[in-house]
C-alpha cells in the first residue's frame, strides 16, 4: 500500500493539501478487500478452461454496466439467466455469472444501449456486447432456458464451421438493451 500512495502522489499535481489528503487516504487502504458471498472464493481460485490444444488458467472477471430498471435487471439476471445475487444497494446489484462478477448500475430510466453492427461470418453482430464462453452442455442448457424469455438477435448456431475458432454462439439483449453473447468453443 505504501507503493500505491507513493506512486499516486507522484502523478498528482503539487498541491500540498490535495496530495497530502489523497496520500493519507490511499495509505489506509486495507491489505485485502473484505470477502463477501457469493464471490468469496473468486480471489483464491482460477478457472480452468480446456481447449483441444492447451489448458490455461483464467481469473474471474468483473464487469459493471448500466441498466434503466433494477427490478427488471433482477428478474432477468436472477430469474432468466439464473445468476446468484450477491451484494446490492438502491443503485446497484451484483451477480455471479458462471463464477464471474457482473454488476448492474442504475443509470436512469431513459438509458438504453446504443447499437452498432459488424459483420462476422454472415451474422450482423451487435457492438458493444459482453459475454462468456461456456461448455457445450452449458450453452445448450442456457439457450433452451432463455428461448421463451428473449428475442434472439442471433439465434443459437455454430459459426466458423471447419475453421480455427469454430464455436456455438447466440446473442440477445437484457431489458436495458445491453447486448449479450454466450458461446461454446
Amino acid at each position: 500500500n505504501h507503493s500505491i500512495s507513493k506512486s499516486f502522489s507522484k502523478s498528482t499535481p503539487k498541491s500540498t493539501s490535495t496530495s497530502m489528503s489523497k496520500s493519507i487516504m490511499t495509505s489506509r487502504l486495507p491489505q485485502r478487500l473484505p470477502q463477501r458471498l457469493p464471490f468469496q472464493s473468486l480471489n483464491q481460485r482460477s478457472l480452468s478452461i480446456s481447449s483441444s490444444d492447451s489448458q490455461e488458467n483464467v481469473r474471474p472477471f468483473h464487469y459493471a454496466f448500466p441498466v434503466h430498471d433494477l427490478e427488471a435487471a433482477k428478474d432477468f439476471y436472477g430469474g432468466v439467466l439464473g445468476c446468484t445475487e450477491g451484494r446490492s444497494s438502491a443503485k446497484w446489484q451484483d451477480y455471479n455469472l458462471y463464477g464471474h462478477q457482473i454488476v448492474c448500475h442504475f443509470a436512469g430510466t431513459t438509458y438504453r444501449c446504443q447499437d452498432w453492427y459488424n459483420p462476422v461470418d454472415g451474422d450482423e453482430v451487435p457492438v458493444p456486447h459482453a459475454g462468456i464462453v461456456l461448455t457445450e452442455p452449458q450453452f445448450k442448457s442456457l439457450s433452451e432456458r432463455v428461448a421463451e424469455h428473449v428475442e434472439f438477435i442471433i439465434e443459437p448456431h455454430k459459426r466458423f464451421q471447419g475453421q480455427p475458432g469454430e464455436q456455438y454462439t447466440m446473442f440477445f439483449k437484457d431489458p436495458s438493451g445491453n447486448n449479450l453473447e454466450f458461446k461454446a468453443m
Side-chain angles (χ1 to χ4, degrees):
N1 289 338
H2 178 37
S3 64
I4 292 172
S5 138
K6 191 173 180 180
S7 64
F8 185 81
S9 296
K10 283 182 181 175
S11 63
T12 316
K14 297 284 185 191
S15 161
T16 49
S17 63
T18 304
S19 293
M20 179 67 105
S21 64
K22 287 184 180 177
S23 178
I24 289 168
M25 288 186 334
T26 58
S27 67
R28 291 184 185 161
L29 290 174
Q31 287 289 348
R32 273 179 85 147
L33 294 175
Q35 296 176 349
R36 298 182 186 176
L37 292 175
F39 305 105
Q40 78 263 20
S41 63
L42 296 182
N43 292 340
Q44 300 163 351
R45 68 178 172 88
S46 61
L47 303 174
S48 178
I49 295 178
S50 297
S51 71
S52 59
D53 302 323
S54 66
Q55 177 133 359
E56 52 185 300
N57 288 322
V58 178
R59 300 285 301 166
F61 67 79
H62 162 86
Y63 177 62
F65 52 93
V67 297
H68 81 285
D69 182 323
L70 287 172
E71 282 305 311
K74 181 181 291 232
D75 290 345
F76 180 78
Y77 288 98
V80 175
L81 293 184
C83 299
T84 305
E85 186 174 347
R87 300 166 293 197
S88 64
S89 79
K91 297 288 186 180
W92 56 268
Q93 308 160 338
D94 66 22
Y95 294 93
N96 183 331
L97 177 68
Y98 295 96
H100 302 280
Q101 183 187 37
I102 59 171
V103 186
C104 305
H105 285 273
F106 179 70
T109 57
T110 60
Y111 170 78
R112 297 298 184 281
C113 180
Q114 184 173 0
D115 286 337
W116 285 270
Y117 292 88
N118 192 31
V120 177
D121 197 38
D123 292 323
E124 289 296 313
V125 171
V127 179
H129 66 264
I132 192 165
V133 178
L134 305 172
T135 65
E136 285 185 31
Q138 288 172 322
F139 179 88
K140 184 176 192 276
S141 175
L142 180 64
S143 66
E144 290 169 356
R145 186 170 69 240
V146 303
E148 62 189 59
H149 302 283
V150 302
E151 183 178 329
F152 288 106
I153 300 166
I154 297 176
E155 296 276 340
H157 72 286
K158 188 182 276 189
R159 66 179 174 194
F160 304 122
Q161 290 192 38
Q163 301 175 44
E166 180 178 277
Q167 60 191 255
Y168 289 95
T169 187
M170 63 179 153
F171 284 81
F172 51 88
K173 292 180 176 291
D174 76 0
S176 293
N178 296 305
N179 298 303
L180 301 171
E181 177 186 19
F182 292 87
K183 61 172 70 176
M185 301 171 68

